[in-house]
Amino acid sequence: MSRSAVLAGLGAMVPERVVDNDEIARTIDTDDAWIRTRTGISRRHWVAPGTATGDLATVAGRRALESAGVDSVDLVILATSTPNQPMPATAPEVATRLGMAGVPGYDLSAACAGFVYGLHAAAGSIVAGLSERVLVIGADIWSTRLDPADRATAIIFGDGAGAAVLRAGTADEPGALVGFDLGSDGANRDLAVLPAGGSRQRSRREPLREEDNYLAMRGKEIFTHAVDRMAGSSEALMDSIGWSSEDVDWFVGHQANVRILHTVADVMNVPREQVVVHLDKVGNTSAASIPLALTDAAAEGRLAPGQRVLLTAFGGGLSWGSAALSWPDIKVAGIESP
Ligand code: UT7
């Protein structure tokens, strides 16, 4: 059997502070009923002052290592668009805090598709024989980059981190990652953007505008692209590995809006009961969204060994990606705050 990357461990966390829709409605012109109906979100978790993405990533990484029953890996990939600082990368700090000083680590920037991009990079490294075990973490803190006056972003984003350990194995084992489909579209990069701090903004040498510090998202257009790209990518992947819609036991899509998830499932012909929905409790956690949803479903015992799982993510860039795997027999702890 051919060498393959196999899911060996999973862990996730959200910060302690819960922000419900009523709290959002105290500062923004919105209300609980609108947010629930239009997005499916009831609450999210936001960090306390002083907490950085690397702090969340370290906790999730530790939980994934514990779930896999290992204390080190050959490579650490941290998918994030909100690193501790623009330079250096946050992954080396996380690796060192996890007791893996000396292990290579890098940040990967693909917005909400970052975790699936990270799985793809990790699986490539394992299949090529360059690594035996890789830790992939998706972590983001967007709460500190939300425009307090913007109804599109303030209502959906939450903070969190999720992580997976991949190990070398074979394609017929439960847990094997059996296929990927990735894509990007730079022509639509302005649909979700945070301009401050990058080389383009810095080289203008103009005073920083307050709004450049915030995530700007054209919600309606992103919604349409999300549906098209997530459905297109999952169908392309299913075609390439010979899965039909009946072969999908669970569809785990990027958790931005329940209407997106249901529309994509309808296009794929996967029953809505087989869609993992976790955004009601945590909102859109960007690169952490898929590992958080997987961890929650696994910890509740909803994912059974051998079941076929399709992951699909979409975000700014634009970037999107899908991954297919069979579910492994692993122990996964819940997402309680540290
Ligand atoms: O993670 C990366 C990918 N991101 C996404 O996938 C996000 C995708 N986009 C979305 O989830 C949705 O576009 C939003 C949740 C951001 C917005 O929902 P929408 O259904 O697209 O709202 P809209 O912007 O089309 O506005 C519809 C109506 C408008 O009122 P009128 O003009 O119909 O009277 C808005 O003024 O809803 C109003 N509205 C709101 N009302 C209360 C817009 N935002 C809000 C709000 N609260 N927060």
Side-chain angles (χ1 to χ4, degrees):
M1 232 326 154
S2 58
R3 184 176 166 98
S4 194
V6 174
L7 178 62
L10 197 61
M13 66 83 71
V14 284
E16 203 174 342
R17 185 178 162 221
V18 178
V19 178
D20 64 16
N21 291 343
D22 288 333
E23 183 173 343
I24 301 273
R26 283 205 280 276
T27 49
I28 298 238
D29 179 18
T30 188
D31 59 75
D32 176 52
W34 193 94
I35 300 173
R36 278 178 201 260
T37 319
R38 302 301 294 170
T39 71
I41 297 166
S42 306
R43 57 185 195 271
R44 72 287 290 144
H45 294 247
W46 285 358
V47 292
T51 301
T53 296
D55 302 331
L56 310 189
T58 302
V59 176
R62 184 170 295 120
R63 289 179 179 177
L65 293 170
E66 282 166 9
S67 164
V70 299
D71 53 19
S72 75
V73 295
D74 308 321
L75 173 65
V76 176
I77 301 173
L78 172 58
T80 185
S81 301
T82 55
N84 288 6
Q85 60 280 315
M87 200 287 286
T90 305
E93 176 187 320
V94 172
T96 299
R97 289 170 68 182
L98 290 172
M100 294 189 280
V103 165
Y106 64 85
D107 290 2
L108 184 162
S109 172
C112 303
F115 184 75
V116 173
Y117 268 61
L119 291 180
H120 179 264
S125 181
I126 288 171
V127 170
L130 300 174
S131 310
E132 290 300 313
R133 269 199 306 255
V134 182
L135 176 62
V136 181
I137 309 172
D140 271 308
I141 293 175
W142 278 112
S143 63
T144 53
R145 300 299 194 110
L146 300 177
D147 182 342
D150 181 2
R151 298 203 289 183
T153 52
I155 58 161
I156 67 171
F157 284 95
D159 304 331
V165 173
L166 302 189
R167 64 164 172 85
T170 55
D172 57 347
E173 288 186 61
L177 284 140
V178 294
F180 288 95
D181 174 83
L182 301 192
S184 77
D185 163 24
N188 281 303
R189 62 190 177 277
D190 289 342
L191 295 189
V193 61
L194 193 158
S199 56
R200 181 165 289 138
Q201 180 265 331
R202 298 285 298 176
S203 69
R204 284 200 185 113
R205 296 178 191 282
E206 290 162 2
L208 189 65
R209 298 174 311 158
E210 182 61 18
E211 61 265 35
D212 289 344
N213 283 307
Y214 297 129
L215 173 66
M217 184 181 80
R218 304 221 300 259
K220 235 185 170 43
E221 287 162 84
I222 281 275
F223 188 108
T224 310
H225 282 279
V227 169
D228 289 350
R229 295 305 189 179
M230 286 170 71
S233 176
S234 26
E235 289 192 319
L237 174 56
M238 285 160 67
D239 279 352
S240 77
I241 59 174
W243 283 13
S244 71
S245 52
E246 288 87 54
D247 291 320
V248 178
D249 293 305
W250 292 104
F251 173 63
V252 186
H254 171 55
Q255 308 278 312
N257 189 318
V258 74
R259 291 186 295 130
I260 295 176
L261 292 175
H262 284 161
T263 311
V264 172
D266 293 349
V267 175
M268 290 166 61
N269 212 15
V270 169
R272 290 183 177 190
E273 309 80 68
Q274 288 163 228
V275 177
V276 170
V277 178
H278 184 234
L279 52 79
D280 51 325
K281 299 178 208 156
V282 297
N284 176 352
T285 55
S286 196
S289 138
I290 289 203
L292 270 166
L294 281 176
T295 302
D296 189 58
E300 285 184 353
R302 275 185 283 155
L303 303 175
Q307 285 187 328
R308 291 171 170 210
V309 182
L310 189 81
L311 316 177
T312 301
F314 170 88
L318 304 176
S319 307
W320 58 90
S322 304
L325 72 156
S326 61
W327 196 251
D329 192 4
I330 53 172
K331 274 206 183 64
V332 179
I335 304 176
E336 69 286 350
S337 302

